[in-house]
Amino acid sequence: MSEREPSGTNDLSGGPAGKLALRDQLVTARHRRPLLEVGNAGRAIALHLLATPEVRRAASVAAYVSVGAEPGTGLLLRALAESGRRVLLPRLLPDRDLDWGTYRGDAGLQPARLGLLEPPDSLGVEAIATADVVLLPGLAASPHGWRLGRGGGSYDRALARVPAGTFTCVLLYDDEVGVPVPVEPHDRPVSAACSPAGLVRFPAPPPG
């Protein structure tokens, strides 16, 4: 496993407008990434995470099924399940909150809204609190672990249910780590980011 020191400039104020501009920039860049890069990124990230102490010790991991130009998670999900770990996957609710179900192989996933693939069972929104590790999508992470998502607030609500001290990690491309991210009061920081170059652990955000 490769671990790196966090780098980049400070976190930003700027609120929704700043986030929207940064989000548009990052989404455009992702759409330009070749499919080969998407697949290679997923394989490299899987190798790093499977060697991470928190993942090696975990009995239960909350993860997600990648879509579009997100770093691929298929190899990671299969490796986690084949190693005997319980893998939880999100189910998007109409109010954009996240229910959770159990990953039982790719064949058990069902098409859902917004082009997502989801497990058929429903464990409830609080199920994420039972995970030893939470792996989540995003578009960028700041040097203090502030994550930029797609803008729906689903994962901020889910992270609010995760017990303090749980290892939370966003999966990104190398140039999306250490990006200054506008911060709003409802945002929740993550413990780390994993990209093809390795794992970056973040210091706690400064108070205030």
Side-chain angles (χ1 to χ4, degrees):
M1 178 192 62
S2 174
E3 292 201 13
R4 300 184 290 145
E5 292 297 321
S7 60
T9 55
N10 294 331
D11 308 316
L12 301 177
S13 59
K19 282 186 174 180
L20 181 61
L22 179 58
R23 189 176 290 118
D24 287 346
Q25 174 187 335
L26 292 166
V27 168
T28 298
R30 277 200 173 180
H31 286 163
R32 294 174 178 159
R33 295 185 188 274
L35 286 177
L36 181 60
E37 181 183 1
V38 173
N40 288 341
R43 284 188 285 275
I45 288 171
L47 291 174
H48 293 312
L49 285 174
L50 293 169
T52 300
E54 291 87 350
V55 175
R56 289 172 63 89
R57 294 193 299 263
S60 177
V61 177
Y64 64 97
V65 180
S66 58
V67 295
E70 292 178 338
T73 60
L75 176 62
L76 176 63
L77 294 177
R78 291 189 290 273
L80 289 170
E82 289 168 3
S83 66
R85 294 174 177 85
R86 183 189 190 210
V87 180
L88 302 178
L89 296 179
R91 294 164 43 92
L92 185 65
L93 298 174
D95 65 355
R96 303 194 70 85
D97 205 346
L98 295 179
D99 185 9
W100 297 86
T102 309
Y103 175 65
R104 304 185 189 281
D106 295 347
L109 298 173
Q110 299 179 347
R113 293 184 304 128
L114 305 179
L116 301 174
L117 291 173
E118 298 179 346
D121 60 324
S122 172
L123 302 175
V125 297
E126 299 293 339
I128 192 173
T130 67
D132 301 310
V133 165
V134 177
L135 307 176
L136 58 158
L139 293 170
S142 83
H144 283 101
W146 295 111
R147 167 189 160 273
L148 181 70
R150 291 281 184 170
S154 301
Y155 274 93
D156 289 316
R157 295 165 73 177
L159 285 172
R161 302 182 179 109
V162 174
T166 301
F167 182 70
T168 56
C169 181
V170 58
L171 279 51
L172 301 170
Y173 294 98
D174 294 336
D175 56 1
E176 297 169 344
V177 181
V179 175
V181 171
V183 179
E184 295 182 87
H186 65 268
D187 290 335
R188 303 278 173 168
V190 294
S191 309
C194 193
S195 73
L199 186 79
V200 173
R201 297 178 186 272
F202 299 121

